[in-house]
Every structure is written in structure tokens, then in C-alpha cells.
């Protein structure tokens, strides 16, 4: 469980390495995080600002990606 929490590795990968069912490890991780939620320091003002900036950037990139998919589909059609 600590391998997932401390290294941010995927639960599926760690579960496979340890020979533990993925759902079981997921439950352990959730229990640990719930019990230790107060242990993590709150985000600073600059960290919150950076998080908002990254969330905005992610939204913009998703919108651009959708636009490009639609444009590619349009230009892939035979327009003779």
C-alpha cells in the first residue's frame, strides 16, 4: 500500500508485482488515505494557483484535441 501512496505508482502495477488482487490493494490504499488524510499538508497559495493553471491548460488542450479530431474527420472525407 505504501508503494502506491509514496511513489504514486499505479495500483494495478503494484498489485501484479506483489501477487495481490488489484481490488484488495485498492481497498488498502483507500483505507490508508482515509485514515491519514490529515497528514498531508494543505496546498500553498502558489501551489493552488499552479493547480488552477494546469487544470485550465488541460481543459484547453482537451478542447483543441476535440477540434482537431473533428477537422481531421472533415478533411478525411472525399469532397469532390
Amino acid at each position: 500500500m505504501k508503494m502506491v501512496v509514496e511513489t504514486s505508482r499505479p495500483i494495478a502495477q503494484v498489485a501484479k508485482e506483489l501477487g495481490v488482487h488489484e481490488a484488495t490493494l485498492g481497498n488498502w490504499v483507500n483505507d490508508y488515505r482515509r485514515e491519514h488524510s490529515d497528514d498531508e499538508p494543505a496546498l500553498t497559495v502558489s501551489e493552488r494557483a499552479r493547480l488552477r493553471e494546469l487544470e485550465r491548460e488541460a481543459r484547453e488542450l482537451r478542447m483543441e484535441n476535440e477540434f482537431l479530431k473533428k477537422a481531421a474527420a472533415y478533411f478525411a472525407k472525399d469532397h469532390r
Side-chain angles (χ1 to χ4, degrees), residues 1-2 4-5 11 22-37 40:
M1 167 267 318
K2 284 190 175 186
V4 173
V5 173
I11 291 174
E22 190 175 323
T24 302
L25 181 58
N27 289 336
W28 293 344
V29 169
N30 289 335
D31 290 344
Y32 179 85
R33 287 182 173 152
R34 203 173 16 259
E35 292 170 8
H36 295 88
S37 62
E40 292 186 35

Side-chain angles (χ1 to χ4, degrees), residues 43-73:
L43 296 177
T44 64
V45 173
S46 62
E47 288 172 331
R48 283 193 189 117
R50 179 69 176 143
L51 179 59
R52 281 193 302 275
E53 179 184 335
L54 291 171
E55 289 170 340
R56 180 190 52 75
E57 184 178 338
R59 275 192 308 276
E60 289 176 1
L61 290 171
R62 280 192 295 272
M63 287 174 31
E64 285 179 23
N65 193 21
E66 282 301 312
F67 173 79
L68 291 173
K69 282 181 185 178
K70 290 176 183 178

Side-chain angles (χ1 to χ4, degrees), residues 4-20:
V4 173
V5 173
E6 293 175 358
T7 64
S8 299
R9 292 176 53 204
I11 291 174
Q13 180 184 9
V14 174
K16 186 176 182 179
E17 289 175 14
L18 297 176
V20 176

